[in-house]
Amino acid sequence: MCDDEDEKTPCSRPQPPLRCGQMLAPEVKLDRSVQDRIGQELRKLYDEALREPVPDRLLALIDPKAARRSLH
Amino acid sequence: MTLDPSLRDEILAAVPQLRAFAISLTNNADRADDLIQDTLTRAIAKIDRFEPGTNLNAWLFTILRNLFHSEYRRRRREVEDADGSYAARLSAPPEQGSRLDFEDFRKALARIPIDQREALLLVGAQGLSYEEAAEICGVAVGTIKSRVNRARTRLAALLAVEYGEEFGPDPTTQAALQNTL
């Protein structure tokens, strides 16, 4: 673990794996075709969000030049 | 703080993915952008906590996820895009022709518990491994697998109401779902 652990800004160093602390209820296993269908719809929704232009105010936080470039 | 140029470029490249995750998680583009702004501000301010050579994307996703949960705890309620303002703002409408309506899927996703939704988005949409998602969420790998499975099961059950057998569970699964919904 990192020293001075900050809840919202963790150290990027990999942490030791956690273990399940309790028994989980039996899982329901979906049919493969249903899983695939959900995966397709999920990626479609995600891709829509990915295609949206990133607002300049966000780019400017990292690189003001990048924000200006996106205007052209 | 001045960022190392290569690190700055890596962060810039990660922004669209962070934003897609935030939008899908919150179901609200304005709230997602505020979350991204807080994430980037914090990441830049705390860049000394990032160790070069480790996974920058995972580190940024962890910050975003922690900020989201911090805000969520403050609000004590899930903010949904009940009026569909996000869907209306999409720059390009989704492809037509699919039997499943895009808006119905978006609404169903917003109805599943947040811990399950984030696990499903990280693994099923962002394409992270179960191990990476577990590290970001601070839980065991088995917990992530369970959350992803429960998320899919819940989505299937919610969509089965609208779309019948396409998402409808078999009789055994249906019986088990009686206890989960």
Side-chain angles (χ1 to χ4, degrees):
Chain A
M1 289 290 235
C2 296
D3 295 331
D4 187 29
E5 190 64 32
D6 180 330
E7 185 191 357
K8 299 187 192 70
T9 318
C11 170
S12 66
R13 191 184 316 143
Q15 303 296 308
L18 298 173
R19 297 175 67 86
C20 290
Q22 60 185 35
M23 293 292 289
L24 297 171
E27 299 285 337
V28 173
K29 191 74 177 171
L30 284 177
D31 184 83
R32 186 78 231 173
S33 64
V34 176
Q35 289 190 42
D36 290 346
R37 189 83 170 89
I38 287 173
Q40 289 167 13
E41 294 300 327
L42 192 63
R43 283 188 290 277
K44 198 191 296 179
L45 180 136
Y46 208 72
D47 287 346
E48 284 296 321
L50 269 175
R51 278 199 291 271
E52 281 210 51
V54 176
D56 284 337
R57 71 175 168 103
L58 299 180
L59 297 176
L61 290 171
I62 312 162
D63 182 6
K65 289 178 190 166
R68 279 197 294 272
R69 278 198 300 272
S70 76
L71 293 173
H72 302 291
Chain B
M1 162 139 347
T2 304
L3 287 173
D4 172 79
S6 64
L7 194 54
R8 180 197 63 207
D9 290 347
E10 275 189 74
I11 295 175
L12 273 175
V15 171
Q17 296 168 57
L18 289 167
R19 192 161 179 269
F21 178 62
I23 288 173
S24 305
L25 192 63
T26 62
N27 203 25
N28 181 306
D30 291 334
R31 191 175 166 215
D33 284 343
D34 288 345
L35 195 54
I36 296 299
Q37 180 167 330
D38 291 347
T39 300
L40 295 175
T41 302
R42 184 169 287 267
I44 293 165
K46 305 275 186 178
I47 199 69
D48 57 323
R49 296 186 68 86
F50 174 72
E51 286 194 17
T54 58
N55 189 334
L56 177 68
N57 268 17
W59 185 63
L60 293 171
F61 271 93
T62 305
I63 295 172
L64 189 156
R65 187 253 177 203
N66 289 351
L67 285 168
F68 171 74
H69 278 269
S70 179
E71 185 204 13
Y72 179 74
R73 282 195 294 270
R74 275 201 308 273
R75 291 185 178 211
R76 291 286 177 201
R77 66 184 176 84
E78 185 175 345
V79 179
E80 293 182 7
D81 187 26
D83 61 357
S85 60
Y86 167 60
R89 284 184 44 188
L90 284 174
S91 53
E95 278 182 31
Q96 300 298 310
S98 169
R99 188 180 163 201
L100 175 62
D101 185 77
F102 182 77
E103 182 64 10
D104 288 337
F105 187 83
R106 192 185 64 80
K107 283 180 180 171
L109 183 66
R111 287 181 61 190
I112 65 175
I114 279 177
D115 59 347
Q116 295 176 17
R117 197 188 317 161
E118 69 180 4
L120 183 63
L121 288 168
L122 288 171
V123 174
Q126 181 60 30
L128 300 183
S129 66
Y130 286 114
E131 288 75 14
E132 288 171 315
E135 191 180 330
I136 287 168
C137 297
V139 298
V141 173
T143 304
I144 287 293
K145 288 181 179 175
S146 172
R147 287 178 181 176
V148 170
N149 186 47
R150 285 166 196 268
R152 286 183 180 133
T153 304
R154 233 171 235 266
L155 270 177
L158 288 167
L159 294 167
V161 173
E162 293 286 332
Y163 294 94
E165 63 183 20
E166 186 179 5
F167 286 95
D170 58 51
T172 308
T173 305
Q174 197 163 23
L177 283 171
Q178 300 290 325
N179 300 321
T180 62
L181 294 174

